[in-house]
Amino acid sequence: MAAEDLPSEFDVVILGTGLAESVVAAACSRVGQRVLHLDRRSYYAANWASFTFNGLLTWIQEQNSQTEEVRDWSSLLEEGEELLHLSDTDSASITNLQVFCYTKGAGEEEFSHDVFIRSDFQTVTFLNQSQAAQTPGEEPEAARPHPSAAQSQSEPTRKKLSYAQLVKEGRRFNIDLVSKLLFSRGSLVDLLIKSNVSRYAEFKNVTRILTYRHGNMEQVPCSRADVFASRQLLVVEKRKLMRFLNSCMEETEEQQAYNGRPYLDFLRDQQLGDNLQHFLLHSIAMVTEDTPTEEGLASTRHFLRCLGRYGNTPFLFPVYGLGEIPQCFCRMCAVFGGTYCLRHSVHCLIVDRDTNRYDAAHTGVCVFLSRAVLITDASVLPGESDQQVSMVTVPPAAAGGPTVKMVELCSSTMTCVPGTYLVHLTCQSTGSAHQDLSPVVTMMFRTTESEEPGNEHGRPFVLWCFYFNMADGSAVEVEGHQLPCNVYVCSGPDGSLGHEHAVKQAEFIFHKILPDEDFCPPAPNPEDIIYDGDEGAAGQEENQGEQESDL
Amino acid sequence: MHGRVKVKTTAQQEEEKKKEREKKLKIYIAARDACFSKRKEGIFDDEALQLTQQLLSSNPDIATLWNYRREILMHLETVRDEDEVQKIYQDELLFLESCLKVNPKSYGSWHHRGWVSARLPRPDWARELGLCDRCLSLDDRNFHCWDYRRMVVRMSGVPVEKELEFTDRLIGSNFSNYSSWHYRSTLLPLLHPECPEQDSPRCEPPLASPPPSPQTHFHRVCEEQLLKEYELVQNAFFTDPNDQSAWFYYRWLLGRAELEEMISCVYVSREEERVAVAFSRPVSALSVGLLLVLDGQPQRVEWRSVHPHFKHSPVWICDLPPGTISDTSNEHNLTVHLTETHTHKDCALYTGRSESWCRDTATDQELFRSELSVEKTSVLQSELQSVKQLQELEPLNKWCLLTIILLMRALDPLGYEKETLAHFQTLKEVDSMRSAYYSDLCSKFMIENTILKMEYAEVRVFSISDQNLTTLCHLDQLLLVTHINLSSNDLQRLPPQFAMLQCLEVLEADNNFIESLEGVYRLPKLEEVSLKNNKISTLADLQPLASCPKLKRLDLRGNPITQTAGVESQLAELLPSVTDLLL
């Protein structure tokens, strides 16, 4: 530690500031553990981070230029100890980065088409060196003529932001690496409330659930008010849907008879029409056609329980992006005495050979998520208000293909500038992110001006987009590593829509370290804290726990 | 454990809070006393304004302080110029907003806001409407705010369409809201009034100035708009058939205007020298200005209702001076004037006739029309179809069943009688808590049907035995009935309204559970009463019969009273006219 007045002894050392790590840090600090929380990166939240537009461009570049520095730390060893080396980079967790820019740079008539490809073998290929590859600091557009004059001639009605404007307004974007939502009655919301960490963040309701069906974007009626207002449903369908939604909350023998059989069969046998089956399967239960009935019903119930707590949809989204959440927990940790240090790597662990047996095993990640981030100029379903936060389910085009979950954020979520929408797409990888998601993108968006001339109400235009693959955290097995017994491993973000995985993991690790402590008890109000008296400042080391993240 | 945050215990917190409260209370009481004494001294200054503001912002429900504040403000109006007054009142509105934030349902705050808004020299109604919007979006059932909104709308002439759009919005976000539906029902007749001429294809909203305000009441809506409303409300009850508000609105849509006040029947009896008048709805003879003209001569008569219980009644009677019409060789012409509505009804008593009447020819369309609509049969028929569709999905929904019954009654009460009874049976089973209500309603409908049948048959005999009647109603329609048979029902009493059967001669009510005969009161022609197997147990129960002068035959077999010792002699004393007593 550089500063002398900082503590040098800790009960818990946590590496990486992802969600699960940050929750563990807050939980430990909250019950009086001395926490050192490190991250080798220059930003919080690891693969859960949110970036400004310019920050994201920098991040993309960094992903392409990581090198590992190997040093020998064996001089630190004492008798009976050995070293456990830790990887220094994210080399395995982010792959296949590709950036496309479709909006005009000022004065340019053709579209810039920039592609970076980074394969799993860590070879970086610049297909086309252009603006996007330049560091934001250079501001290449600044010297060029103002773009609005050229644009107003070609398209008088819809003004598009140029790339230069995106860069200029880049600070107003908060682009998440992962795309998730908070279930209103999910474990993360419960934890935020229970621990009082919620006071550090603000949330917006997702305002509508959409689905892509028969080439159209449709609103899914899921709440009572939606069903009432829906124009696509006949009154009889409304009754059937409402009745189903009410009845499925309770377990019945009839439902149990379908255990093990596909949910779709169950829905079909409930005399629900095609569109109701679609809504229930893809948008409400968010499962696939062959998901068993009990699982489908469980997720339907979870969805319905979350309805109405904060609004007409079951989801919340944090203002300023998901990267806020880990930071809020870090803040809680710091408030209760945790020490933070970014840009600080831990290269190896020193392990007592006698008490801790281990095999230094490094697991490669083989399951990936495909992600795409789009900046568009219009909503996929323009409505009365232009400030809609939409959750969109896109069922697989062909059976067996991945279901794409799409979240469209408007500017009031503070993740993009007014006049633009930030669209996140996520699915399980079958190929590279571009292979998986570009068909969906071309289906729902326009990437060229000429495609639909004169069609003002056409699909939204993509100004800029970014594809990448990220390791699926839920695929990393935490148990079973031959690690020292006081080392615990957190996985990165998983592919599901909620945060259940990370919260569960954090609670699990916390109880491993401190089996008898309350997990994230409510933080007291500032006025109730007693500051005088310094009793108990010097304590004994009780439990040494260390975690490593991001295998 | 070291480093753990020390937090105050609940006991410590309680102690601190208690001290805090005591301190506050002292300040509060001091300020309150200061206010009261200032008011007593008649001081209306800025300091008083500030003091009351402090108190009211912590407790907005002290009406006295609001009154004092109004006195101060009215005083300031007289001493300040208009701009200053405007400023004072604007500050007052801001202060009230802070009060409403603390307690959005304070009577005092809302009332004061209404008062201030009305006195503001240059009111900003748009802002006030915005405040209502915000308040109602937070709590769409805050009736204080609804009241205030109506006042703002009235004062500022907000177009009716705008208010209708507002209810659209509220209903869209949550249709379980009586206030919004009801507001709609007051707005629609203004915006889309029913066409007076049936042949005009569509109605334009009247371009009258001043704009119609939601306070005036017409009741009907033109058909084009009605169809849209049917669709809207169907969406609501198909979405949630257990929500009452939508069903009530639907009933309003299907319903029709109240009957006009008019004379439906005039009856004159030569023997009793008595005139009975029936009205379309209960009236008070004193207030409607009832005037009897006999052969061109206004008569000074005393109108009385059929039973001392009634101040309002659909039937009123009067006795003519003795000898006026008793001579059967004379012909008389009667006219009853209703001076309030400038209507009248004539009735001629011809030579040799002992009685005479004049009544509106009652058809099924008109008789019980206040229940349900005059809409074209096709519209009602299609509504019945869609509600039946819902009933197939929700066979046990009570609102749905009840609405089907009402629609069937509007369409063809006699034709659907069997189905109606079956639905009533289901209703009593699914909603057993209200089975007595359904029994009464069913009784009412059965009585209506029997009246219709009697009308078609043009007889004066009303027979409704073995129909599980639990209550009697529409007795005003039976003014001319001479024979009534109520045997084998579930009646417990003959209510005071029964005294409207002024022509009744024979009453049969065997096999019921009757314990009270209140309504068998001053029936001038009643001769025979049969009450076999009922629950009459004391002599007092039979007391009303003593007021019927012609009663000759009384059958009380199978009643508890027959077990009483010496009942026969007591009855002979009570009812001296009875010659034929069966015990």
Side-chain angles (χ1 to χ4, degrees):
Chain A
M1 288 294 124
E4 276 183 21
D5 53 342
L6 283 172
S8 57
E9 278 187 20
F10 299 96
D11 302 315
V12 182
V13 178
I14 298 168
L15 310 184
T17 49
L19 180 60
E21 298 93 306
S22 303
V23 172
V24 173
C28 290
S29 170
R30 182 65 194 82
V31 296
Q33 297 286 298
R34 292 167 301 176
V35 175
L36 175 65
H37 200 170
L38 304 174
D39 199 316
R40 63 172 161 266
R41 305 166 188 87
S42 57
Y43 51 88
Y44 278 97
N47 278 352
W48 302 78
S50 306
F51 293 105
T52 63
F53 186 64
N54 311 17
L56 184 64
L57 296 180
T58 313
W59 181 83
I60 292 167
Q61 275 210 318
E62 281 171 6
Q63 298 305 308
N64 292 321
S65 56
Q66 281 180 355
T67 53
E68 194 163 352
E69 192 187 339
V70 182
R71 277 171 64 186
D72 185 18
W73 298 89
S74 51
S75 60
L76 292 169
L77 288 180
E78 287 174 19
E79 185 58 33
E81 292 178 339
E82 54 188 44
L83 283 176
L84 171 58
H85 279 277
L86 302 178
S87 165
D88 228 10
T89 60
D90 286 330
S91 55
S93 67
I94 306 285
T95 54
N96 297 330
L97 292 87
Q98 285 174 286
V99 172
F100 300 88
C101 183
Y102 300 107
T103 187
K104 281 178 236 181
E108 281 181 57
E109 283 308 311
E110 78 278 22
F111 310 111
S112 52
H113 196 209
D114 321 323
V115 181
F116 303 79
I117 290 183
R118 183 174 164 216
S119 76
D120 290 321
F121 306 101
Q122 304 189 5
T123 53
V124 181
T125 320
F126 291 83
L127 292 184
N128 183 3
Q129 178 73 33
S130 72
Q131 308 148 351
Q134 290 165 339
T135 54
E138 290 174 37
E139 295 276 341
E141 283 81 4
R144 296 185 183 167
H146 201 268
S148 61
Q151 270 187 306
S152 59
Q153 290 166 358
S154 58
E155 192 165 334
T157 47
R158 208 195 248 177
K159 267 190 197 161
K160 289 195 175 64
L161 277 108
S162 69
Y163 186 78
Q165 283 168 303
L166 288 182
V167 172
K168 189 158 168 265
E169 300 268 24
R171 282 168 58 86
R172 298 171 71 181
F173 285 92
N174 278 297
I175 302 169
D176 300 324
L177 290 185
V178 290
S179 176
K180 283 176 177 296
L181 297 171
L182 283 74
F183 277 96
S184 299
R185 289 186 196 278
S187 49
L188 183 56
V189 168
D190 288 348
L191 181 64
L192 284 164
I193 293 170
K194 179 192 174 203
S195 62
N196 280 342
V197 172
S198 55
R199 53 169 83 130
Y200 302 135
E202 271 185 78
F203 298 87
K204 274 209 180 296
N205 241 118
V206 170
T207 54
R208 57 186 186 174
I209 313 282
L210 305 178
T211 190
Y212 191 74
R213 186 164 167 261
H214 302 323
N216 288 316
M217 200 56 82
E218 289 180 12
Q219 184 161 356
V220 178
C222 49
S223 70
R224 197 165 163 270
D226 285 351
V227 174
F228 169 67
S230 169
R231 291 180 191 282
Q232 343 157 35
L233 296 181
L234 302 171
V235 284
V236 174
E237 287 179 308
K238 292 185 178 193
R239 184 77 292 268
K240 284 181 174 168
L241 178 60
M242 285 302 289
R243 199 163 58 159
F244 179 81
L245 294 180
N246 288 332
S247 68
C248 78
M249 289 309 284
E250 283 158 26
E251 263 189 65
T252 62
E253 281 179 22
E254 189 199 357
Q255 293 166 5
Q256 280 161 9
Y258 282 85
N259 278 4
R261 290 172 59 192
Y263 191 39
L264 189 62
D265 285 2
F266 176 70
L267 295 178
R268 221 177 260 143
D269 292 350
Q270 298 292 308
Q271 314 290 324
L272 299 163
D274 271 353
N275 50 349
L276 294 185
Q277 284 173 33
H278 178 101
F279 292 153
L280 284 163
L281 189 75
H282 297 293
S283 303
I284 293 178
M286 290 182 285
V287 294
T288 58
E289 299 198 347
D290 43 9
T291 307
T293 301
E294 62 272 25
E295 211 175 294
L297 278 169
S299 22
T300 306
R301 286 187 196 120
H302 183 48
F303 183 101
L304 294 174
R305 266 196 297 274
C306 293
L307 272 181
R309 186 176 197 186
Y310 299 113
N312 275 340
T313 73
F315 305 115
L316 292 177
F317 182 82
V319 177
Y320 298 108
L322 283 160
E324 289 294 297
I325 305 287
Q327 292 189 63
C328 291
F329 282 99
C330 290
R331 187 167 171 193
M332 178 62 87
C333 173
V335 165
F336 287 91
T339 306
Y340 274 82
C341 199
L342 294 181
R343 292 187 209 86
H344 208 92
S345 292
V346 169
H347 301 281
C348 55
L349 303 177
I350 299 171
V351 181
D352 188 319
R353 210 180 317 201
D354 294 328
T355 53
N356 294 301
R357 296 262 109 228
Y358 72 95
D359 298 325
H362 186 90
T363 350
V365 180
C366 48
V367 181
F368 278 86
L369 301 173
S370 287
R371 291 270 295 113
V373 178
L374 280 60
I375 300 172
T376 66
D377 69 338
S379 173
V380 287
L381 184 64
E384 274 172 37
S385 159
D386 61 349
Q387 293 299 312
Q388 301 266 19
V389 183
S390 313
M391 160 76 207
V392 191
T393 48
V394 187
T403 302
V404 176
K405 291 184 181 107
M406 183 164 115
V407 176
E408 185 189 73
L409 303 167
C410 61
S411 59
S412 65
T413 61
M414 302 300 183
T415 56
C416 56
V417 297
T420 66
Y421 290 83
L422 189 62
V423 182
H424 288 280
L425 294 95
T426 313
C427 71
Q428 291 291 333
S429 296
T430 53
S432 75
H434 185 256
Q435 286 164 348
D436 287 341
L437 294 173
S438 64
V440 176
V441 171
T442 46
M443 193 164 68
M444 282 189 276
F445 301 91
R446 283 183 301 143
T447 50
T448 54
E449 291 286 346
S450 52
E451 199 180 313
E452 283 170 280
N455 187 357
E456 272 306 304
H457 306 291
R459 296 167 285 167
F461 179 72
V462 180
L463 303 172
W464 183 87
C465 71
F466 167 42
Y467 295 93
F468 64 103
N469 286 96
M470 182 187 273
D472 183 347
S474 62
V476 179
E477 276 198 28
V478 178
E479 290 291 313
H481 286 297
Q482 294 291 308
L483 288 169
C485 65
N486 61 348
V487 173
Y488 305 98
V489 182
C490 293
S491 55
D494 64 320
S496 66
L497 187 61
H499 294 77
E500 272 58 26
H501 180 73
V503 174
K504 210 172 124 192
Q505 192 171 50
E507 191 166 1
F508 175 79
I509 291 172
F510 175 80
H511 284 308
K512 281 272 182 190
I513 303 171
L514 299 160
D516 303 323
E517 290 287 348
D518 192 5
F519 180 61
C520 288
N525 293 323
E527 65 268 24
D528 292 335
I529 297 174
I530 300 170
Y531 292 99
D532 54 352
D534 229 352
E535 63 253 71
Q540 63 279 57
E541 288 178 29
E542 287 173 42
N543 204 339
Q544 280 205 326
E546 295 179 39
Q547 288 119 48
E548 191 209 343
S549 70
D550 300 347
L551 268 177
Chain B
M1 191 177 284
H2 77 270
R4 185 169 290 215
V5 185
K6 295 266 179 326
V7 178
K8 289 173 189 166
T9 61
T10 31
Q12 279 173 306
Q13 288 176 351
E14 281 304 309
E15 187 58 31
E16 267 176 40
K17 274 182 194 160
K18 203 179 142 194
K19 276 185 191 152
E20 193 72 14
R21 270 203 304 271
E22 279 167 7
K23 222 167 92 190
K24 267 189 188 166
L25 187 65
K26 255 183 205 156
I27 300 171
Y28 180 84
I29 290 173
R32 187 197 61 191
D33 292 346
C35 275
F36 285 171
S37 63
K38 269 174 112 66
R39 192 184 185 202
K40 226 174 230 171
E41 291 159 31
I43 303 171
F44 302 122
D45 58 0
D46 285 331
E47 196 204 347
L49 217 50
Q50 265 173 13
L51 270 177
T52 49
Q53 176 159 351
Q54 276 170 19
L55 284 168
L56 287 167
S57 53
S58 59
N59 179 7
D61 291 318
I62 315 175
T64 312
L65 291 181
W66 287 118
N67 283 338
Y68 185 27
R69 227 175 147 72
R70 280 189 278 274
E71 286 164 11
I72 301 168
L73 290 168
M74 281 161 78
H75 171 74
L76 290 178
E77 266 182 48
T78 61
V79 296
R80 305 279 171 86
D81 67 31
E82 194 189 298
D83 283 345
E84 278 176 317
V85 172
Q86 172 82 12
K87 177 80 182 52
I88 289 169
Y89 278 133
Q90 274 171 349
D91 290 347
E92 193 71 2
L93 289 177
L94 284 177
F95 162 56
L96 277 164
E97 263 162 57
S98 67
C99 290
L100 289 174
K101 267 181 203 156
V102 177
N103 180 2
K105 290 193 170 176
S106 157
Y107 283 86
S109 313
W110 282 109
H111 175 254
H112 192 62
R113 194 170 187 94
W115 185 85
V116 171
S117 290
R119 290 187 85 87
L120 196 64
R122 293 183 296 278
D124 183 356
W125 293 115
R127 195 184 129 79
E128 294 305 298
L129 204 63
L131 176 103
C132 293
D133 280 353
R134 241 177 348 190
C135 247
L136 289 174
S137 70
L138 293 172
D139 176 4
D140 51 16
R141 304 176 200 195
N142 184 339
F143 64 89
H144 303 272
C145 187
W146 277 108
D147 279 344
Y148 186 64
R149 184 182 187 94
R150 278 189 281 271
M151 178 210 148
V152 170
V153 167
R154 189 180 65 239
M155 300 290 277
S156 58
V158 175
V160 180
E161 308 91 88
K162 285 267 176 269
E163 287 300 281
L164 198 66
E165 280 168 24
F166 172 70
T167 65
D168 279 339
R169 270 207 313 281
L170 282 193
I171 289 170
S173 69
N174 178 10
F175 61 82
S176 298
N177 188 332
Y178 285 105
S179 311
S180 308
W181 289 115
H182 173 259
Y183 198 30
R184 238 182 139 69
S185 74
T186 63
L187 298 172
L188 282 171
L190 300 174
L191 203 57
H192 307 280
E194 187 178 30
C195 310
E197 308 99 62
Q198 291 297 317
D199 51 345
S200 72
R202 53 167 303 207
C203 286
E204 295 296 331
L207 298 168
S209 57
S213 96
Q215 307 303 312
T216 48
H217 289 284
F218 307 100
H219 290 284
R220 297 304 305 158
V221 180
C222 74
E223 186 167 316
E224 191 190 355
Q225 184 63 29
L226 263 184
L227 292 176
K228 284 185 199 157
E229 293 300 306
Y230 286 146
E231 197 188 323
L232 181 75
V233 76
Q234 271 179 19
N235 274 319
F237 63 63
F238 268 88
T239 304
D240 185 355
N242 291 315
D243 185 77
Q244 307 178 32
S245 56
W247 287 110
F248 277 104
Y249 183 65
Y250 190 56
R251 234 163 125 170
W252 176 81
L253 285 176
L254 291 170
R256 50 178 297 160
E258 272 183 44
L259 281 177
E260 265 179 65
E261 199 172 278
M262 56 177 210
I263 300 167
S264 58
C265 180
V266 173
Y267 167 83
V268 56
S269 159
R270 204 188 283 272
E271 190 185 350
E272 282 94 27
E273 299 186 82
R274 179 180 285 188
V275 176
V277 181
F279 295 88
S280 56
R281 54 182 169 135
V283 297
S284 161
L286 303 171
S287 62
V288 291
L290 205 52
L291 182 69
L292 177 69
V293 178
L294 177 67
D295 302 324
Q297 296 295 315
Q299 302 287 312
R300 285 179 61 89
V301 291
E302 204 168 301
W303 292 100
R304 63 166 201 272
S305 69
V306 291
H307 195 281
H309 273 298
F310 303 126
K311 300 274 177 287
H312 276 75
S313 165
V315 176
W316 288 83
I317 46 184
C318 70
D319 293 314
L320 293 166
T324 340
I325 55 170
S326 53
D327 188 347
T328 48
S329 57
N330 288 341
E331 184 178 320
H332 296 283
N333 284 304
L334 275 111
T335 308
V336 177
H337 289 272
L338 202 56
T339 47
E340 191 190 50
T341 52
H342 303 287
T343 53
H344 63 91
K345 201 158 207 77
D346 300 319
C347 178
L349 180 60
Y350 297 112
T351 316
R353 299 284 297 273
S354 66
E355 59 180 2
S356 175
W357 61 85
C358 170
R359 65 173 299 188
D360 291 342
T361 47
T363 66
D364 52 341
Q365 300 275 308
E366 285 164 353
L367 244 177
F368 308 111
R369 63 187 197 171
S370 58
E371 279 309 320
L372 268 192
S373 157
V374 272
E375 272 351 296
K376 290 196 187 98
T377 310
S378 61
V379 176
L380 287 181
Q381 201 61 262
S382 82
E383 288 305 303
L384 180 61
Q385 286 319 312
S386 46
V387 183
K388 273 183 164 174
Q389 210 173 17
L390 177 60
Q391 197 237 341
E392 272 169 37
L393 295 167
E394 300 288 323
L396 301 180
N397 184 279
K398 59 171 178 172
W399 299 105
C400 191
L401 285 165
L402 187 59
T403 307
I404 289 178
I405 291 173
L406 294 174
L407 281 164
M408 284 178 167
R409 288 208 58 76
L411 279 162
D412 183 1
L414 294 174
Y416 283 115
E417 186 174 289
K418 216 172 147 191
E419 281 180 66
T420 308
L421 285 172
H423 284 319
F424 265 119
Q425 199 49 47
T426 323
L427 261 180
K428 283 184 219 173
E429 281 158 23
V430 298
D431 190 16
S432 55
M433 298 286 278
R434 282 168 204 79
S435 62
Y437 166 76
Y438 296 123
S439 295
D440 285 358
L441 195 62
C442 186
S443 304
K444 181 178 167 207
F445 291 158
M446 294 314 295
I447 290 171
E448 286 174 5
N449 285 2
T450 314
I451 292 173
L452 288 177
K453 286 177 201 160
M454 181 180 74
E455 290 291 331
Y456 291 132
E458 293 183 38
V459 291
R460 292 172 74 181
V461 176
F462 185 81
S463 177
I464 186 165
S465 59
D466 207 8
Q467 297 285 354
N468 302 100
L469 291 194
T470 54
T471 186
L472 291 174
C473 56
H474 291 305
L475 292 167
D476 55 304
Q477 301 283 340
L478 306 181
L479 177 63
L480 302 176
V481 163
T482 57
H483 289 66
I484 190 164
N485 180 4
L486 302 169
S487 299
S488 303
N489 283 301
D490 300 330
L491 296 170
Q492 294 183 340
R493 59 201 288 252
L494 298 176
Q497 286 84 350
F498 196 80
M500 291 173 193
L501 279 73
Q502 284 289 312
C503 302
L504 192 65
E505 292 165 15
V506 178
L507 162 63
E508 280 178 75
D510 301 338
N511 305 317
N512 278 287
F513 304 99
I514 298 172
E515 30 188 64
S516 155
L517 299 170
E518 269 179 293
V520 193
Y521 174 77
R522 293 178 83 171
L523 296 177
K525 297 177 190 290
L526 187 64
E527 291 179 13
E528 267 189 60
V529 174
S530 178
L531 290 166
K532 272 181 289 194
N533 302 321
N534 277 292
K535 300 276 179 210
I536 292 163
S537 50
T538 68
L539 204 60
D541 295 338
L542 292 166
Q543 182 69 44
L545 295 181
S547 64
C548 302
K550 288 194 173 170
L551 186 61
K552 287 191 182 59
R553 191 185 154 86
L554 178 61
D555 191 342
L556 287 173
R557 282 176 292 176
N559 281 286
I561 193 170
T562 56
Q563 307 303 314
T564 320
V567 68
E568 205 166 348
S569 60
Q570 286 169 328
L571 274 173
E573 195 182 322
L574 179 69
L575 307 167
S577 63
V578 174
T579 53
D580 197 354
L581 179 65
L582 293 168
L583 286 174

